[in-house]
Amino acid sequence: MSAPMSADRFLAALRAEGLTVVEVGSWRTHNRNHKGPWGPVNGVMIHHTVTSGAAYTVALCRDGDSALPGPLCHGVITKDGHVHLVGYGRANHAGAGDSDVLAAVVAEKRLPPDHHADTDGNRHFYGFECENLGDGEDPWPAVQLDAIARAAAAVCRVHGWGSPSVIGHLEWQPGKIDPKGFTMDSMRARVAERLK
C-alpha cells in the first residue's frame, strides 16, 4: 500500500526501464480526481483496447467518450512498444472489482476468482491500455509484450512490489476478458524476470 508516485517520478521510472515514452499534451494534470481519491495504490492493471491504429487508440484513451470520459488509463502501449502517457491521477480504467482480489494483490498472494464488484479499482491501480483488438487473433508483437512487462516492472520497482501486484482486468472485474491473447501468468513471469 503506497501513495502514488509523482508524475515526474513515473516518467523517470518508465524511461529508466528502457522504454520509449511519448508525452501526450498535459498528461500530468489530466485525471478524474474530482470523482474521488487516487490512492493508496496497490498494483498495476493491464487492459486491451479493442482498437486498431496507434493515433486513434491514444486519442480514445486520452479523451474517452460520452459514456466514459478520459483518461481511460495512465499509459497506452501501442504495437510498436511505445508508451504514450495520457493521464495521471485517477483514471477510468479499472471500475468496480472484487475486494478479495484486492486483498490478494496487497498480500502478493495467488488471486482468487473474481466474483464481486464491490471495490473502487480506479483508486487502487495504475492502468496500462494496450493496443489490440482483443479477439484472440490480433497478434501481440514481441516488442509490445516486452514493453508491457517493462512498464509494469517500472511501477513495481518504485513501490517495492513483486510481480503478483500486476493483474489483468479479467482478474479484477467479473465479465471482463482483457487482456486476451496472452496469459497474465506469463506476463507476471516476464515482470518477475525483469525485477530480478
Side-chain angles (χ1 to χ4, degrees):
M1 198 176 295
S2 306
M5 67 182 104
S6 71
D8 286 341
R9 182 73 183 93
F10 181 57
L11 175 62
L14 294 171
R15 287 183 170 156
E17 207 67 39
L19 289 160
T20 299
V21 181
V22 180
E23 299 181 71
V24 181
S26 55
W27 68 272
R28 287 175 174 83
T29 55
H30 183 50
N31 56 56
R32 304 287 296 161
N33 289 357
H34 63 285
K35 290 294 185 180
W38 188 44
V41 287
N42 304 103
V44 179
M45 191 172 293
I46 307 300
H47 307 261
H48 66 229
T49 57
V50 196
T51 60
S52 181
Y56 171 76
T57 298
V58 170
L60 177 66
C61 290
R62 185 193 187 284
D63 299 332
D65 59 30
S66 59
L68 192 66
L72 305 183
C73 59
H74 300 103
V76 182
I77 303 175
T78 47
K79 294 271 192 181
D80 58 7
H82 293 181
V83 181
H84 303 255
L85 300 183
V86 296
Y88 206 68
R90 185 181 177 90
N92 275 336
H93 73 98
D98 196 309
S99 56
D100 294 333
V101 172
L102 180 61
V105 170
V106 171
E108 296 200 325
K109 294 185 175 175
R110 187 149 186 85
L111 299 177
D114 54 334
H115 294 302
H116 309 287
D118 59 3
T119 301
D120 174 15
N122 294 334
R123 176 179 186 171
H124 294 286
F125 290 95
Y126 294 88
F128 290 100
E129 286 279 0
C130 307
E131 180 193 352
N132 192 276
L133 292 174
D135 58 5
E137 296 179 14
D138 190 16
W140 291 92
V143 68
Q144 187 182 27
L145 291 172
D146 181 62
I148 296 166
R150 286 173 183 266
V155 175
C156 289
R157 201 180 300 283
V158 169
H159 287 290
W161 299 333
S163 60
S165 293
V166 181
I167 70 171
H169 200 194
L170 78 169
E171 296 172 307
W172 170 248
Q173 190 176 74
K176 295 296 181 181
I177 64 166
D178 57 314
K180 188 171 185 178
F182 63 87
T183 68
M184 283 309 300
D185 282 341
S186 70
M187 183 53 64
R188 282 187 282 269
R190 287 172 175 261
V191 173
E193 187 63 29
R194 289 214 59 83
L195 291 173
K196 280 184 182 177

